[in-house]
Amino acid sequence: MSVLKINGSIIETVIFDFDGTLAKLNIDFQRMREEVVKIIASYGIQTNLFKTNFVLEMINLATDILNSNSPQKAKMLREKAMTFIENIELRAAEEGELFAHTRELLTFLKAHNISRAVVSRNCEKAIFKAFPDILSYCDAVVCRDLVKNVKPNPHHLHTVMEKIKGTPTSTLMVGDHPLDIETGRQAGTFTAGVLTGHFQEIDFLRADADLVLPRAVDLIKIIS
C-alpha cells in the first residue's frame, strides 16, 4: 500500500482549509472588514486600537468591550456583524465552485486509508452550499460555528482531530494562507501550503511550512 510521508513520518490524517484550498469562493474580505469596522464604530468603539485585522477577532474584542457595560448592546453588535459576514459567505458559496479534482483527491486519500477533514473559519452553511456532499468525502467538517476559538488558535484543529481520532504527529494541515501553517504548527501537526490562494511560496517558507504545493490535488503525486 502506498503511503504519504512528510519528513519521514507517515501521514494518516489530512485536514484541509476550505476556501482557497479545496474551493474557489472569492469572498470579498476587504468589503467584509470595512463593513465590520463600520458596525463596530457605530457602537463607539475605535478599531484602530485593535492589534488584529481579522474580522472574527475584531468582533470578539468589540463584544468583550461592550459586555462590561451593556451585554444587550454586545449581543446586538455580534448578531449584526455575524449576519453580515454570513451573507457575504453564502453569496460567495453560491457563485463559487470546487477546484478541479477536489473530489478525486479526497477519494484517492480515502482509498489509501488516509482520514480527511475540513477546518474553516467560514460558516457551516456556506461550506455545505458550496460542497453539498462533502460528508461523503470527508470524515468531519468543523467550521467556526462549532468551536469557541477559531484558527489560528490550535483549539480549532485539535477539535477536528478529536472528532476523527487523529494524532498531531501523523496529521498534515493543508491551507492557502500562512495562518493555516501557524495553526498547524501550534497544534503540533505537519503543514503544507498551496498556491491556489493569494500567497506565494516564499510566504509559506517564511511561515516554516513543511511542504509547498501548487495545488492541494498535487498531494497525490507525493504518495508512494
Side-chain angles (χ1 to χ4, degrees):
M1 173 68 71
S2 299
V3 297
L4 171 59
K5 284 188 176 182
I6 305 292
N7 297 339
S9 296
I10 295 177
I11 300 300
E12 299 175 344
T13 302
V14 180
I15 299 176
F16 297 93
D17 167 58
F18 190 72
D19 181 22
T21 302
L22 296 180
K24 185 176 182 180
L25 301 188
N26 291 324
I27 295 174
D28 190 342
F29 288 107
Q30 181 175 346
R31 178 170 174 247
M32 181 187 289
R33 188 177 298 108
E34 289 173 351
E35 186 61 28
V36 166
V37 167
K38 289 179 183 177
I39 292 171
I40 293 173
S42 71
Y43 286 83
I45 300 172
Q46 296 182 353
T47 57
N48 62 314
L49 301 178
F50 291 176
K51 295 181 180 180
T52 179
N53 286 320
F54 292 125
V55 292
L56 296 178
E57 285 76 2
M58 291 173 70
I59 293 169
N60 287 341
L61 287 168
T63 300
D64 288 342
I65 291 171
L66 287 178
N67 250 330
S68 58
N69 294 317
S70 178
Q72 184 177 5
K73 285 186 177 180
K75 182 181 179 182
M76 290 171 59
L77 183 152
R78 176 175 290 280
E79 289 179 349
K80 186 174 182 179
M82 296 306 293
T83 296
F84 177 79
I85 289 173
E86 186 173 299
N87 287 338
I88 284 187
E89 291 169 340
L90 289 172
R91 192 175 307 117
E94 290 175 355
E95 299 171 355
E97 60 184 354
L98 296 181
F99 285 128
H101 310 301
T102 288
R103 287 186 174 87
E104 176 187 337
L105 166 62
L106 298 172
T107 300
F108 185 88
L109 293 176
K110 182 178 181 179
H112 287 77
N113 297 317
I114 297 173
S115 299
R116 295 92 40 230
V118 165
V119 58
S120 178
R121 289 167 60 97
N122 208 331
C123 70
E124 191 173 64
K125 288 180 182 178
I127 299 293
F128 281 88
K129 182 176 286 290
F131 194 172
D133 53 341
I134 190 170
L135 290 179
S136 296
Y137 293 87
C138 292
D139 300 300
V141 177
V142 178
C143 302
R144 68 162 180 265
D145 320 60
L146 301 179
V147 292
K148 181 178 180 180
N149 298 305
V150 296
K151 61 178 182 171
N153 191 302
H155 166 73
H156 201 168
L157 200 49
H158 285 149
T159 300
V160 185
M161 286 188 281
E162 287 173 9
K163 281 182 171 291
I164 60 178
K165 296 179 172 59
T167 58
T169 53
S170 61
T171 295
L172 176 66
M173 172 70 212
V174 182
D176 70 308
H177 196 294
L179 176 146
D180 297 305
I181 308 305
E182 179 185 349
T183 305
R185 291 185 64 205
Q186 290 194 62
T189 73
F190 292 98
T191 59
V194 292
L195 306 180
T196 43
H198 301 289
F199 292 88
Q200 300 184 18
E201 182 176 15
I202 187 63
D203 299 308
F204 294 108
L205 295 177
R206 286 171 177 163
D208 204 21
D210 294 295
L211 185 68
V212 182
L213 298 168
R215 306 166 299 165
V217 70
D218 291 316
L219 276 173
I220 290 176
K221 298 178 182 178
I222 63 174
I223 295 178
S224 60

